[in-house]
Amino acid sequence: MTWMRHQTGAYDSTSVPRVKGARRELRRQIARQSEQILAKYRSGDNVDFKVCPLYKALHIK
């Protein structure tokens, strides 16, 4: 999940306010997005590889 957070989300480029819990909440939001991406693969649904951030991250040349 950590790798996905850094590769498929805007985690590294997002500025996080210096408020207690803000970074944790950002991680949770991106983790939910990562779970949604993985859910498509796990369910066997058709995945549009042209727009899938996971596919793009795995196939960087």
Side-chain angles (χ1 to χ4, degrees), residues 3-56:
W3 180 86
M4 276 192 70
R5 180 172 65 233
H6 288 273
Q7 297 298 317
T8 64
Y11 181 76
D12 291 329
S13 62
T14 303
S15 65
V16 181
R18 293 192 174 264
V19 176
K20 185 175 182 178
R23 185 170 305 279
R24 182 173 293 157
E25 181 55 33
L26 176 63
R27 285 183 187 146
R28 285 183 185 140
Q29 288 174 354
I30 295 174
R32 282 191 291 269
Q33 292 169 354
S34 297
E35 285 293 335
Q36 290 173 349
I37 292 168
L38 288 174
K40 282 195 169 234
Y41 283 93
R42 290 174 177 158
S43 69
D45 286 348
N46 289 331
V47 177
D48 185 356
F49 297 121
K50 294 178 184 176
V51 296
C52 177
L54 177 58
Y55 183 83
K56 289 179 181 179

